[in-house]
Amino acid sequence: MDQHEAGQLSKLEVDIFYRTEWDEFWSFVGDKSNKRWTWYIVERKSGVIVAWQNGDRSADTLQK
């Protein structure tokens, strides 16, 4: 008798979803004309930062 006949699962797929918030802040290096942006994603329930990227304030930096 194989697993299927015994009513047991041979594979289990689980999807995990997180609710996140995206935000940004800026600072500067040297002087205020050299702004650097930090984009970050926070998992809402735990407050854990799950991703971040530092760079300019462009769509390219955000996509990274």
Side-chain angles (χ1 to χ4, degrees):
M1 181 180 290
D2 68 12
Q3 287 182 337
H4 294 285
E5 292 175 24
Q8 296 179 356
L9 295 174
S10 62
K11 182 178 178 181
L12 177 64
E13 292 185 22
V14 177
D15 293 323
I16 299 173
F17 297 92
Y18 295 100
R19 292 183 183 260
T20 60
E21 295 179 11
W22 297 51
D23 206 352
E24 69 203 284
F25 64 89
W26 70 270
S27 186
F28 61 89
V29 179
D31 62 56
K32 289 186 179 180
S33 69
N34 191 14
K35 290 183 181 177
R36 304 305 294 166
W37 291 85
T38 300
W39 304 84
Y40 61 98
I41 302 171
V42 177
E43 197 278 319
R44 282 184 177 179
K45 188 174 182 180
S46 67
V48 171
I49 296 174
V50 294
W52 63 273
Q53 181 66 34
N54 189 278
D56 58 11
R57 195 175 192 210
S58 68
D60 255 357
T61 300
L62 176 59
Q63 288 303 314
K64 290 178 185 177

